[in-house]
Amino acid sequence: MIKINSIIFYVIIVLGLILINIRLSGGSELIIKRPRANLTHVPKDLPLTTTTLDLSQNNISELQTSDILSLSKLRALVMSYNRLRYLDIGVFKFNTELEYLDLSHNELRVISCHPTANFKHLDLSFNAFDALPICKEFGNMSQLKFLGLSGSQVQSASVQPIARLNITEVLLVLGDTYGEREDPQCLQHINTGALHVVFPEKREFRFTLDVSVSTVNSLELSNIKCGLENSNCSYFLSALLKLRKSPGLSSLTLNNIKTTWNSFLDILQSVWHAPVKYFSISNMTLQGQVEFRNFNYSGTSLKALSIHQVVSEVYSLPQRYIYGIFSNMNIQNFTVSGTRMLHMLCPLKVSPFLYLDFTDNLLTDMVFEDCRNLIKLKTLSLQKNQLKKLENIILMSAEMKSLQKLDISQNFLQYSEKENLCSWTESLLVLNLSSNMLADCVFKCLPPKVKVLDLHNNRIMSIPKEITYLQALQELNVASNSLVDLPGCGAFGSLSVLVIEHNSVSHPSVDFFQSCQKIRSLAAGNNPFRCTCELREFIKNIGHVSGEVVEGWPNSYRCDSPEGAKGTPLQDFRMSPLSCDIVLLIVTIGATLLVLVAIMAFLWLYFDLPWYLRMVCQWTQTRHRARNIPEEELQRKLQFHAFVSYSRHDSTWVKNELLPNLEKDGIRVCLHERNFIPGKSIMENIIHSIEKSYKSIFVLSPHFIQSEWCHYELYFAHHNLFHEGSDNLILILLEPIPQYSIPSNYHKLKSLMAQRTYLEWPMENSKHRLFWANLRATINVKLVSQAETTCHIQR
Ligand SMILES: *[C@@H]1O[C@H](CO)[C@@H](O)[C@H](O)[C@H]1NC(C)=O
Ligand SMILES: *[C@@H]1O[C@H](CO)[C@@H](O)[C@H](O)[C@H]1NC(C)=O
């Protein structure tokens, strides 16, 4: 049972693998890279469908059929920088697709031949082979484009098998012991367009190898050490001399040369008469003194000379002699970079130079001073030198009538606009002033027809109003300065590309979009945008310019302030329209106020709000006052909470409304009908009642006005008020009393009415509860004496 189970399990696994295989084998790439992994063997866990395998820079010393047998899709294998010692080409017999094999920089000594795949790229260079590792079978590799070889014995016979192939590029690395038994002609059998020969690094060039392979179009020679220790570089010079036999040779490159100044000039002179068009030297170390002699410029094919990275180990040189040789060369392109060259002279007669590149030297503003012989020059690069005064460069350019492109970036240039004529050459179209120390005033003098102007990484804070009108300017780069705003295009009518990243633009003016109608591309990212209302218009405009023209949008456009918005992409920045529009804001506030007023008015009229307000107001006052009255005093004198004075006509209301509502809370009310003491005069009773009561309530109505007694009561009560210093009057306006109906001698009543310090009896039932509550609160104090006293009076 278990067995059957596991068999089914394996079948499923195998089927799965097959399916995966089928799915992946649709010509897809599978690149496996394991460089610098300290591997000592080809890993066993490689996917079967690997197409490219990179195992470079490991410690693998063996390569066997079984290592790569299963990688049937393998097309490229890179095992450079390992420790392979032995190669059997037969190990690849199952890798039928393999076309790229790099085994350079190993320790291979021996190769076993085997009919093999059709390599396109086979690199066996930088190994320890003695004889060249060329098998008979290589002759069949009809597709071979690159062949890298190394060996110490280079014999014609060993090269023979590949003589019929047309290889694009051959690299031949000569072993350290090369040269003992040389066969000078051996390279003549190679049929290649580009040949690169690497000579043994440590040895003086004393070889007779003929590198003038007839089919070669591009020749590169590395590791040349000659002319030192009193030898005269004759071996190398004669190798160069032989190049005259290869008319197809167009480009010659020398790498890693160590020689003397004299030998260098000999080499230069020799190449001058070879069929070479492009001559390039890099990494050269020069020693020794210079002997003067004439340089013969005549009859050259040379068009371009490039010299890169030169170290001169000589302290005093006849500089003018050397610069003289350079400056009078009759070629079109001349490059000198990465040297410590201090100066360059003006050619003695009109020079054919079209292109001069003196990047990365030590040239000063004195270069080409007053030079009238560079009238053909189109491109000049003085990048990365020691230029300081832009005025001098402007003067220099004045004589270069054809100069179109000038690169003076990465110097120390400053501009001071003294009384200088602005004499830029009119021909200049591209001017690179980047990475200098230029300030705003650089705009006062610029080449009038310039199309591309690079001013990035300078010290510009603003673009002045009064500037040269640059009608043709199309591209302006002012990135990495300190500009606070976008420029208008008033002075740059054709501007189509503006780069203003990394400045201090916080609120860019929107005018930009109106003024710069021709703008196609704007890069304004990485500025400290201040995200406020003003920025909204800019964001809108930038959003309308279609996305592809705004470089870096939206990611490099972020708010820098205010603090809360810091880091927000401008794209996501929102500001409510209300907070940004004053008119809208005022209208909104106005409308809100209007609505509020309407609501108030409505409440006023419909619910009699003032009445409620007065009630609430009185309530609070009473509460406040009640707290301030010394309790003992109240307790000592008073028997009643309130004395009520009213007209006979209002007695129904008093009995049905007032009494029940007050007395239900234990409030003691003194009514003249009920509590007056018989035997006493009415006057006495009234006074007594008022004195014994905490408050006097007067129920005002037109009837009340008619009653004499009531008026007396009011008078006494008010009198009491003055004596005691506390207001103990409560007026209840039962019915409205027209002012005119109050008799003129009732001053007291009139003034009290005028002060409106009365409680109005509301007509609406709904308000009654509040009314009573308010009234009770006014008169409710704690009284000590519980004794019933009379205070009756009858009118
Ligand atoms: C000179 O250099 C320029 C710029 O690199 C290049 O375009 C031109 O083809 C060169 N001319 C020659 C003759 O090498
Ligand atoms: C100006 O020179 C700098 C290098 O100094 C380079 O990066 C930049 O692309 C150049 N600008 C133009 C417009 O060629």
Side-chain angles (χ1 to χ4, degrees):
M1 198 57 196
I2 290 166
K3 258 190 185 160
I4 292 175
N5 264 353
S6 51
I7 287 173
I8 290 174
F9 177 77
Y10 283 118
V11 167
I12 288 173
I13 294 270
V14 168
L15 275 178
L17 284 177
I18 290 173
L19 281 176
I20 288 169
N21 240 341
I22 289 170
R23 199 162 49 80
L24 288 178
S25 61
S28 60
E29 288 278 315
L30 179 56
I31 301 173
I32 305 290
K33 294 193 174 197
R34 303 265 178 89
R36 284 182 296 273
N38 275 331
L39 300 173
T40 52
H41 288 96
V42 177
K44 299 281 179 228
D45 58 346
L46 297 169
L48 301 180
T49 51
T50 306
T51 53
T52 296
L53 178 59
D54 179 356
L55 298 173
S56 58
Q57 303 178 67
N58 282 294
N59 286 322
I60 302 171
S61 54
E62 240 181 343
L63 181 62
Q64 292 172 342
T65 312
S66 57
D67 291 334
I68 49 169
L69 170 69
S70 51
L71 308 179
S72 59
K73 306 286 176 217
L74 195 64
R75 288 206 290 274
L77 176 62
V78 179
M79 287 183 74
S80 53
Y81 295 96
N82 273 283
R83 324 185 87 193
L84 297 176
R85 284 158 184 255
Y86 169 75
L87 173 65
D88 180 0
I89 293 270
V91 299
F92 305 112
K93 59 178 174 283
F94 299 107
N95 309 100
T96 50
E97 314 251 310
L98 191 64
E99 55 186 27
Y100 185 108
L101 178 62
D102 182 355
L103 299 178
S104 62
H105 297 276
N106 275 278
E107 297 163 13
L108 293 172
R109 294 179 170 278
V110 189
I111 178 171
S112 315
C113 296
H114 191 276
T116 46
N118 219 348
F119 290 116
K120 284 183 181 157
H121 181 109
L122 176 59
D123 195 350
L124 301 171
S125 61
F126 296 100
N127 275 290
F129 294 113
D130 193 34
L132 289 183
I134 299 177
C135 297
K136 272 205 320 297
E137 290 82 356
F138 285 9
N140 298 327
M141 296 196 283
S142 54
Q143 304 206 40
L144 199 61
K145 299 268 178 296
F146 176 92
L147 178 61
L149 300 167
S150 54
S152 298
Q153 305 276 338
V154 183
Q155 302 296 332
S156 295
S158 57
V159 181
Q160 210 50 253
I162 53 170
R164 283 182 303 111
L165 295 179
N166 186 357
I167 309 169
T168 313
E169 188 179 351
V170 171
L171 167 64
L172 173 60
V173 181
L174 300 176
D176 283 341
T177 58
Y178 169 76
E180 262 121 61
R181 278 183 292 125
E182 255 194 307
D183 176 357
Q185 299 305 313
C186 74
L187 295 185
Q188 301 308 310
H189 305 287
I190 295 183
N191 184 356
T192 181
L195 175 64
H196 181 187
V197 183
V198 179
F199 290 95
E201 204 168 345
K202 303 206 175 72
R203 292 181 42 207
E204 173 95 8
F205 194 99
R206 287 182 187 276
F207 311 113
T208 54
L209 187 68
D210 185 355
V211 287
S212 64
V213 178
S214 59
T215 54
V216 165
N217 160 296
S218 159
L219 176 65
E220 183 171 346
L221 304 174
S222 297
N223 300 339
I224 294 147
K225 197 166 163 188
C226 78
L228 309 170
E229 290 142 23
N230 297 328
S231 73
N232 57 5
C233 212
S234 57
Y235 283 90
F236 185 60
L237 287 171
S238 73
L240 290 181
L241 202 62
K242 285 183 200 149
L243 294 181
R244 295 187 189 175
K245 291 184 300 181
S246 32
L249 185 63
S250 127
S251 134
L252 173 65
T253 306
L254 305 182
N255 266 321
N256 234 345
I257 313 181
K258 191 158 185 180
T259 187
T260 58
W261 273 100
N262 279 334
S263 299
F264 163 59
L265 292 176
D266 287 341
I267 291 169
L268 209 53
Q269 182 70 80
S270 179
V271 172
W272 221 259
H273 297 119
V276 172
K277 292 198 185 84
Y278 306 97
F279 183 29
S280 169
I281 301 175
S282 46
N283 295 315
M284 179 162 66
T285 307
L286 293 176
Q287 302 180 346
Q289 298 306 317
V290 180
E291 282 164 28
F292 294 89
R293 65 196 122 166
N294 282 335
F295 195 89
N296 179 1
Y297 295 102
S298 66
T300 185
S301 311
L302 205 63
K303 290 189 159 46
L305 169 63
S306 307
I307 301 174
H308 304 281
Q309 306 300 331
V310 178
V311 179
S312 172
E313 295 177 344
V314 186
Y315 293 104
S316 77
L317 271 180
Q319 307 235 359
R320 292 191 70 83
Y321 169 68
I322 292 163
Y323 298 146
I325 290 181
F326 286 153
S327 64
N328 289 301
M329 291 190 303
N330 50 343
I331 55 178
Q332 294 177 358
N333 282 17
F334 182 39
T335 302
V336 179
S337 75
T339 75
R340 302 190 61 81
M341 183 168 75
L342 295 168
H343 192 54
M344 183 52 67
L345 297 173
C346 183
L348 294 174
K349 50 183 201 236
V350 170
S351 164
F353 283 143
L354 293 180
Y355 174 96
L356 290 178
D357 181 355
F358 297 148
T359 298
D360 192 13
N361 294 296
L362 299 175
L363 299 174
T364 64
D365 308 356
M366 315 293 280
V367 67
F368 294 140
E369 202 173 22
D370 274 332
C371 184
R372 284 154 215 261
N373 287 331
L374 287 170
I375 50 175
K376 294 188 178 170
L377 190 63
K378 287 204 169 118
T379 306
L380 174 60
S381 172
L382 299 172
Q383 191 187 107
K384 223 172 169 189
N385 275 283
Q386 301 285 322
L387 310 181
K388 297 216 167 69
K389 289 190 170 176
L390 185 60
E391 304 90 279
N392 294 343
I393 304 299
I394 295 175
L395 269 177
M396 174 199 81
S397 88
E399 305 289 346
M400 301 177 171
K401 303 294 181 198
S402 309
L403 191 66
Q404 295 184 346
K405 223 176 142 182
L406 176 62
D407 184 349
I408 42 179
S409 62
Q410 300 187 56
N411 278 284
F412 304 90
L413 287 168
Q414 284 178 308
Y415 179 61
S416 60
E417 19 150 10
K418 285 172 262 162
E419 74 299 348
N420 293 303
L421 284 175
C422 183
S423 57
W424 279 108
T425 175
E426 292 217 354
S427 54
L428 207 54
L429 302 179
V430 180
L431 176 58
N432 197 338
L433 290 168
S434 63
S435 302
N436 277 293
M437 295 152 74
L438 297 163
D440 304 4
C441 59
V442 67
F443 281 97
K444 306 234 166 144
C445 173
L446 286 167
K449 293 185 182 156
V450 71
K451 285 186 174 164
V452 179
L453 179 59
D454 192 341
L455 272 165
H456 84 260
N457 195 19
N458 274 286
R459 299 183 180 171
I460 302 167
M461 301 175 80
S462 70
I463 297 180
K465 290 272 177 293
E466 296 282 301
I467 67 172
T468 332
Y469 186 63
L470 302 173
Q471 177 53 46
L473 189 67
Q474 291 170 359
E475 286 184 42
L476 175 62
N477 186 342
V478 281
S480 303
N481 278 284
S482 308
L483 288 160
V484 294
D485 199 358
L486 302 180
C489 288
F492 326 116
S494 313
L495 195 68
S496 66
V497 177
L498 174 66
V499 184
I500 188 167
E501 299 161 310
H502 294 282
N503 273 277
S504 307
V505 180
S506 57
H507 31 270
S509 59
V510 184
D511 293 351
F512 173 79
F513 294 98
Q514 270 106 53
S515 135
C516 302
Q517 295 282 346
K518 293 197 179 150
I519 213 82
R520 275 191 296 108
S521 161
L522 170 67
N526 295 302
N527 273 294
F529 292 108
R530 183 164 173 74
C531 288
T532 54
C533 293
E534 291 102 79
L535 203 67
R536 291 184 323 147
E537 195 64 14
F538 173 76
I539 296 174
K540 206 173 84 198
N541 272 296
I542 216 172
H544 279 222
V545 188
S546 82
E548 51 190 12
V549 250
V550 181
E551 303 291 335
W553 182 265
N555 287 338
S556 33
Y557 296 73
R558 290 174 188 273
C559 302
D560 186 62
S561 59
E563 204 53 43
K566 199 172 176 119
T568 315
L570 291 202
Q571 196 186 31
D572 303 337
F573 170 66
R574 298 278 180 278
M575 202 77 191
S576 73
L578 192 58
S579 50
C580 288
D581 190 334
I582 288 284
V583 177
L584 192 58
L585 185 65
I586 290 174
V587 167
T588 313
I589 291 178
T592 318
L593 280 180
L594 243 126
V595 169
L596 270 180
V597 167
I599 292 174
M600 292 291 284
F602 175 75
L603 288 177
W604 193 282
L605 295 174
Y606 197 81
F607 292 110
D608 202 1
L609 199 65
W611 184 86
Y612 279 104
L613 288 180
R614 273 206 307 280
M615 277 302 186
V616 171
C617 186
Q618 273 162 6
W619 173 294
T620 34
Q621 277 175 7
T622 321
R623 295 252 93 148
H624 179 69
R625 226 181 278 126
R627 253 180 268 128
N628 293 342
I629 296 170
E631 256 182 48
E632 312 149 30
E633 194 172 330
L634 289 173
Q635 291 169 353
R636 196 160 20 91
K637 281 193 188 166
L638 302 177
Q639 292 173 357
F640 300 99
H641 286 101
F643 164 68
V644 183
S645 165
Y646 56 95
S647 148
R648 203 159 30 87
H649 298 278
D650 300 324
S651 63
T652 337
W653 180 79
V654 170
K655 297 217 173 84
N656 296 344
E657 297 276 356
L658 183 93
L659 280 183
N661 271 301
L662 293 189
E663 288 187 331
K664 76 173 177 198
D665 274 3
I667 288 174
R668 278 185 269 141
V669 180
C670 172
L671 295 183
H672 45 68
E673 298 155 36
R674 207 166 63 185
N675 304 80
F676 272 20
I677 307 160
K680 280 198 177 176
S681 76
I682 290 173
M683 242 7 139
E684 277 173 337
N685 262 320
I686 289 175
I687 294 169
H688 177 77
S689 301
I690 288 174
E691 277 177 355
K692 290 292 169 197
S693 299
Y694 172 47
K695 298 271 171 169
S696 302
I697 299 177
F698 292 84
V699 180
L700 305 182
S701 68
H703 304 293
F704 183 88
I705 307 289
Q706 311 299 322
S707 155
E708 287 266 315
W709 283 118
C710 289
H711 186 66
Y712 281 126
E713 287 171 359
L714 181 60
Y715 180 81
F716 289 130
H718 196 253
H719 226 66
N720 196 30
L721 174 136
F722 289 111
H723 283 293
E724 298 292 321
S726 68
D727 69 328
N728 57 349
L729 275 191
I730 297 174
L731 306 183
I732 295 176
L733 191 63
L734 197 58
E735 284 169 51
I737 308 170
Q739 192 77 6
Y740 62 83
S741 65
I742 308 175
S744 53
N745 53 339
Y746 286 18
H747 305 293
K748 203 82 303 172
L749 185 60
K750 267 192 162 167
S751 74
L752 285 171
M753 291 292 287
Q755 287 166 22
R756 292 177 60 87
T757 51
Y758 47 77
L759 296 171
E760 251 170 12
W761 171 245
M763 299 310 281
E764 300 86 341
N765 274 332
S766 58
K767 296 179 180 171
H768 289 176
R769 275 167 62 92
L770 180 57
F771 176 87
W772 293 124
N774 208 350
L775 186 59
R776 280 197 295 269
T778 316
I779 57 183
N780 203 355
V781 285
K782 212 168 144 214
L783 300 181
V784 168
S785 161
Q786 297 293 315
E788 274 288 309
T789 322
T790 47
C791 65
H792 259 283
I793 193 162
Q794 193 65 51
R795 293 170 301 241

